[in-house]
Amino acid sequence: MPSNIEAIGSAIDVSAIDSVQAVVCDLNGILRGKRVPVDQIEKVLSGGIRMPLSIVGVDIWGEDIVGSSHVFANGDIDGICASTGRGALPVGWTLKPSAVVPLWLVKEDGTPFLADPRQALAAIVRQYHELGLRPVVASEMEFYLVDPEPDHAEPPISPYTGKRLDSDAILSIDELDDFGEFFSDVYAECKRQNVPADSAVAENGIGQFEINLLHSDDPLKAADDALFLKRIIKGVARKHRLAATFMAKPYGGRSGSGMHMHFSIIDANGKNIFDDGTAEGSDVMKHAVAGLLRGMEETTLLFAPHFNSYRRLRPDTHAPTRISWGYENRTAAIRIPGGKSSARRIEHRVAGADANPYLVMAAILGAALVGIRNKWMPAEPTSGRAYQGRGASIPSEWGAAVTAFENGSIVPEIFDAELRAMLIACKRQEIAGFAEQVTDFEFGAYLEIV
């Protein structure tokens, strides 16, 4: 075994690593896999690790889906865990230095397993490449730092003042300074893992922050970056005796956390095809907008995949509630930012920070491509407050979003039938799990009243 293993951007000294985690991403955006001895890292990188194909479809609690054809009906067959090409990523926040190797699933015959969310995104990207086009994407990731001790969301104690945060502090430089060591370590880990972290800001909620990622013309790497940025933030937070959460709505009465995605499309000559030299953008951009709008109801499940997700999609909360678009309008679901025409792009504002970046990007790029191919045109853009504007509402209830996904006509053009079936079964099992729970609030409300 060589003393160094190449990672993106750097080489890892194997002699300094305690263990290796071989991981795939499931439909919920959770990394699942195996811890293996460091002397097996070459085996991991060369596709020598196998895992059940069903692993991508387990529910949020890691339970098999009851009645799944991928479990008992076919013997719970394995897939081959192939390297994504990212290599081994160093992990510096664990007690002993380790590394993680991102993998994705292929079938025994070498074909992609299209229920793997990364493979689903790759299939959409291939369609763009076949047309001589390249999507350029970037994401903005919001999250909360919270006190790790209580069993409920509680603002953190400032390492600088020793006092618990008690007020919203949007764009506060002081709050960034309070957690300066945390952010310095996040940026250091991002550099080690070649995650292109850009600016960080304090957001609307108490202890809420946002870190942006730079634009990339490789959507697969961009989705990798979003996934591993979340993991870096969580890991570094633990190191600093904090907890980081990407729940869409950890506080019922405060701002939710989103994962806004920006994208444009460039042609073989490197020209942004959304740019027509005007502030309005090209017809191709409008075709993409129309595809996003027509597909929004049936793709909401990818943007709001969990029970908690629907607490975020409420009026006047900086999260959209209507299927709408507009220029420089942050109350709309689809925003066209201003600026130079050469940088004309679409901002999709529906996804929560709890969503799976691969499925979010696949849903957005896929629906946009359907709109471009059909040359659809959107209705007139919304001006002013979009919460009371025209147009249908984004599904505001989990079960309705599952049904819309299941019955949609655009979703089958984006996602393989196997992925759709696995995701629907997973979400229906999770819905049943939550329906069985009686909360303390519910018990207290009804105990002596009814």
Side-chain angles (χ1 to χ4, degrees):
M1 182 179 67
S3 59
N4 291 290
I5 296 293
E6 288 300 317
I8 289 184
S10 65
I12 297 177
D13 180 4
V14 175
S15 64
I17 294 176
D18 180 65
S19 63
V20 175
Q21 295 173 334
V23 299
V24 297
C25 180
D26 76 4
L27 292 174
N28 276 317
I30 297 171
L31 292 176
R32 301 193 182 275
K34 303 177 179 181
R35 172 178 165 142
V36 299
V38 69
D39 60 8
Q40 293 188 29
I41 193 169
E42 286 285 5
K43 176 182 177 181
V44 175
L45 290 168
S46 61
I49 295 290
R50 300 167 68 88
M51 295 185 206
L53 295 175
S54 63
I55 196 66
V56 299
V58 296
D59 67 21
I60 197 71
W61 302 285
E63 299 289 339
D64 284 330
I65 304 303
V66 176
S68 170
S69 62
H70 281 282
V71 184
F72 299 113
N74 68 5
D76 204 11
I77 62 174
D78 278 345
I80 298 169
C81 299
S83 172
T84 64
R86 185 100 183 192
L89 305 179
V91 176
W93 58 83
T94 51
L95 291 177
K96 294 183 179 180
S98 60
V100 62
V101 178
L103 306 168
W104 54 351
L105 288 167
V106 298
K107 297 181 179 179
E108 199 69 49
D109 62 4
T111 59
F113 180 53
L114 293 177
D116 179 311
R118 195 177 192 274
Q119 294 284 14
L121 175 58
I124 296 298
V125 173
R126 282 194 293 271
Q127 293 181 46
Y128 276 92
H129 290 175
E130 288 167 1
L131 297 173
L133 302 173
R134 284 184 295 156
V136 178
V137 299
S139 56
E140 302 170 344
M141 195 72 67
E142 295 175 337
F143 63 97
Y144 275 90
L145 291 178
V146 298
D147 190 328
E149 295 299 325
D151 292 330
H152 58 277
E154 185 81 30
I157 295 172
S158 165
Y160 181 72
T161 66
K163 297 180 179 180
R164 191 176 302 277
L165 302 188
D166 61 1
S167 64
D168 296 339
I170 186 168
L171 298 181
S172 169
I173 297 300
D174 290 340
E175 195 157 297
L176 288 172
D177 287 344
D178 282 355
F179 296 93
E181 292 185 12
F182 162 79
F183 281 103
S184 292
D185 284 353
V186 166
Y187 278 96
E189 290 296 331
C190 285
K191 184 176 181 180
R192 282 158 53 84
Q193 295 194 9
N194 193 28
V195 172
D198 192 21
S199 58
V201 298
E203 271 290 348
N204 286 297
I206 300 176
Q208 187 186 33
F209 300 94
E210 176 184 275
I211 294 181
N212 298 333
L213 292 169
L214 295 173
H215 284 78
S216 170
D217 65 356
D218 182 350
L220 286 170
K221 183 180 183 300
D224 291 342
D225 292 337
L227 185 73
F228 283 97
L229 175 63
K230 292 172 73 170
R231 189 170 186 269
I232 288 168
I233 289 170
K234 288 180 179 180
V236 171
R238 286 194 295 270
K239 177 182 175 182
H240 286 264
R241 297 184 180 181
L242 298 164
T245 181
F246 291 86
M247 285 178 66
K249 195 81 165 179
Y251 299 98
R254 297 197 178 275
S255 179
S257 292
M259 179 172 59
H260 301 158
M261 178 181 156
H262 295 247
F263 79 101
S264 57
I265 302 171
I266 57 177
D267 63 19
N269 297 316
K271 182 185 185 315
N272 178 4
I273 64 173
F274 288 173
D275 173 24
D276 67 349
T278 73
E280 290 190 357
S282 68
D283 282 349
V284 176
M285 186 199 78
K286 293 172 185 175
H287 299 329
V289 168
L292 293 170
L293 296 175
R294 290 201 193 188
M296 188 169 292
E297 180 181 10
E298 59 193 86
T299 55
T300 293
L301 181 62
L302 290 314
F303 311 135
H306 306 298
F307 175 78
N308 179 258
S309 304
Y310 294 86
R311 299 186 185 278
R312 172 178 166 266
L313 300 175
R314 296 289 183 268
D316 300 315
T317 60
H318 295 280
T321 61
R322 288 192 175 272
I323 298 173
S324 58
W325 76 292
Y327 292 93
E328 280 291 15
N329 191 337
R330 285 186 168 87
T331 68
I334 305 295
R335 170 179 172 255
I336 310 302
K340 295 180 180 178
S341 66
S342 59
R344 190 67 59 232
R345 65 191 186 277
I346 294 171
E347 179 188 12
H348 197 287
R349 296 178 56 80
V350 183
D354 57 340
N356 182 328
Y358 299 113
L359 296 183
V360 168
M361 288 191 187
I364 292 172
L365 296 178
L369 187 57
V370 173
I372 291 170
R373 283 175 165 158
N374 288 285
K375 297 185 177 180
W376 291 335
M377 292 297 287
E380 290 299 309
T382 298
S383 298
R385 187 171 178 268
Y387 296 113
Q388 293 181 332
R390 61 183 179 275
S393 295
I394 296 170
S396 60
E397 191 271 326
W398 198 12
V402 175
T403 299
F405 180 84
E406 184 175 27
N407 297 333
S409 59
I410 293 176
V411 159
E413 297 189 49
I414 302 173
F415 296 104
D416 183 78
E418 207 159 20
L419 183 148
R420 301 198 309 271
M422 291 181 77
L423 183 62
I424 291 165
C426 173
K427 293 300 147 183
R428 293 210 186 283
Q429 181 162 302
E430 291 177 1
I431 288 172
F434 276 94
E436 292 176 352
Q437 302 302 310
V438 177
T439 66
D440 291 344
F441 180 80
E442 182 180 351
F443 184 73
Y446 297 122
L447 176 61
E448 297 181 356
I449 301 300
V450 297

